Amino acid sequence: MTNRYRALFDLTGKSALVMGAASGIGQATAQMLAGLGAQVVCADLDGPGAVETAKTIVSEGGTAQGLAADLGSHEQIARAVRTTVDAYGRLDIGVTTPGINIRKRLAAYTEEEFDRIVNLNLKGTFFFLKEASTVMAEQGGGSLIACSSMRALMVEPGLGVYASTKAAILQMARGLATEVGPQGVRVNTIAPGVIDTPLTRPLWDDVKAREAYSAHTVFGRWGSADEVASAVAFLASDAASYVTGENLVVDAGWTVIDGRFDPGR
């Protein structure tokens, strides 16, 4: 009986494409999926970094290869999807994690800055979901996970454009889930909270900001990339076979708690 339940989380024989695999949540996800048995293509704008992640996986007994791919390029995303199918015969798991932010108040944004955020975060995710879901629908199954954010649900000054793209990703994934579900394809999003990654490193390096963000969580700390990767692995696995169109929030209660005052104390 125990083996039957463990098998739900076993990814042996499945193939995965992870965008953003050179660092942060993408790197942790690629390593975790491989650790659970998946054959992984590690893709990133930082090609050498993606190759290095793949080498680490191989050195630990896994199967992986790395390649350079820009989430902002439709052509390069399509190539990454084809590479995965050519290498492993199919595409079972697709994960996209890259995102950028320019922390500025809305009125201070230039059109160029706006386009830069939207083109990568939203348009790039659209390209990825479009290409990967087409392959999965044709083969009759698969699991797609896109990276939204707790900022899709709650926002603060200077994050209006970034938060808008993350909210749009959530709704786009839900819409796709309704379209490809009949072909056996599941589509979900994750919504990380304050996670120590290269994207959030400027906040981490600011001691006052780091402590303020820590205090807003129930656990009083930042999360790690591995803690988000664990949620991705669940959504990728057969343990989540009846889960689609959902947004899995990984934020230590940030979007739940309303301030720190506890009248019981």
Side-chain angles (χ1 to χ4, degrees), residues 75-100:
E75 180 182 354
Q76 292 185 37
I77 291 172
R79 178 170 59 85
V81 170
R82 287 196 305 270
T83 297
T84 307
V85 175
D86 290 345
Y88 306 129
R90 55 187 287 122
L91 175 62
D92 297 300
I93 302 163
V95 184
T96 179
T97 65
I100 57 172

Side-chain angles (χ1 to χ4, degrees), residues 101-161:
N101 178 36
I102 300 173
R103 185 177 284 264
K104 294 174 68 172
R105 292 178 179 268
L106 205 68
Y109 253 82
T110 66
E111 183 175 359
E112 180 183 4
E113 290 169 336
F114 178 88
D115 287 344
R116 183 182 170 202
I117 303 301
V118 172
N119 284 342
L120 180 72
N121 294 6
L122 182 57
K123 197 172 182 180
T125 300
F126 162 72
F127 289 149
F128 180 83
L129 293 177
K130 171 184 170 67
E131 294 297 328
S133 67
T134 298
V135 170
M136 290 181 176
E138 290 174 352
Q139 70 190 18
S143 176
L144 285 168
I145 302 104
C147 198
S148 181
S149 170
M150 71 173 183
R151 294 306 180 192
L153 309 172
M154 302 180 76
V155 72
E156 66 184 24
L159 294 180
V161 176

